[in-house]
Amino acid sequence: EKGAAAKAAVPNWHALTKEECASLLGLGPNIRTTGLTSAEAAKRLEEYGPNELSAKEQRTLWQRIWAQLYNVLVGILIFVAVVSLIKGIISTGENRVTNFIEVGLITFVVT
C-alpha cells in the first residue's frame, strides 16, 4: 500500500506541459531562458544527486549461460545430445555418423 501511494504521487511527466513541469519542480516560468543559478544547481545536486542512469546489475557469462540452459526443453535436448554422443562413440558405420550429426544439430539449436 505504501508503494502504491508513492507511485500515485509521482506525476506523469510526459503528459504535463513545460509550465506544469517547471511549477512542480519549483522553478520559475522563465527557467528555460535563464537556467539555474550555480547555488540552485549545487543545492539540487546535493538534494537529488547527479543526473545519471542507475547502473544495471551486470550478469556474468556463466549466469547468462545458466539462464538459457535452465529450461526443461533445453534440458531434454541436452540429455538427448549426450545419449546420441554416447551412441555415436559406441556404434560403427552409418549410425555413428548419424549420431554425431544429431549431436551437432542439437548443439546448434541449444546455442
Side-chain angles (χ1 to χ4, degrees), residues 57-97:
E57 182 181 331
Q58 297 293 322
R59 292 182 1 177
T60 65
L61 176 63
W62 290 112
Q63 288 173 324
R64 288 183 285 171
I65 291 171
W66 178 251
Q68 290 201 353
L69 296 180
Y70 188 69
N71 182 326
V72 174
L73 294 177
V74 173
I76 292 170
L77 284 172
I78 291 173
F79 176 76
V80 170
V82 169
V83 170
S84 293
L85 181 64
I86 293 170
K87 282 176 53 181
I89 292 170
I90 295 172
S91 64
T92 59
E94 195 174 304
N95 285 337
R96 183 176 196 160
V97 173

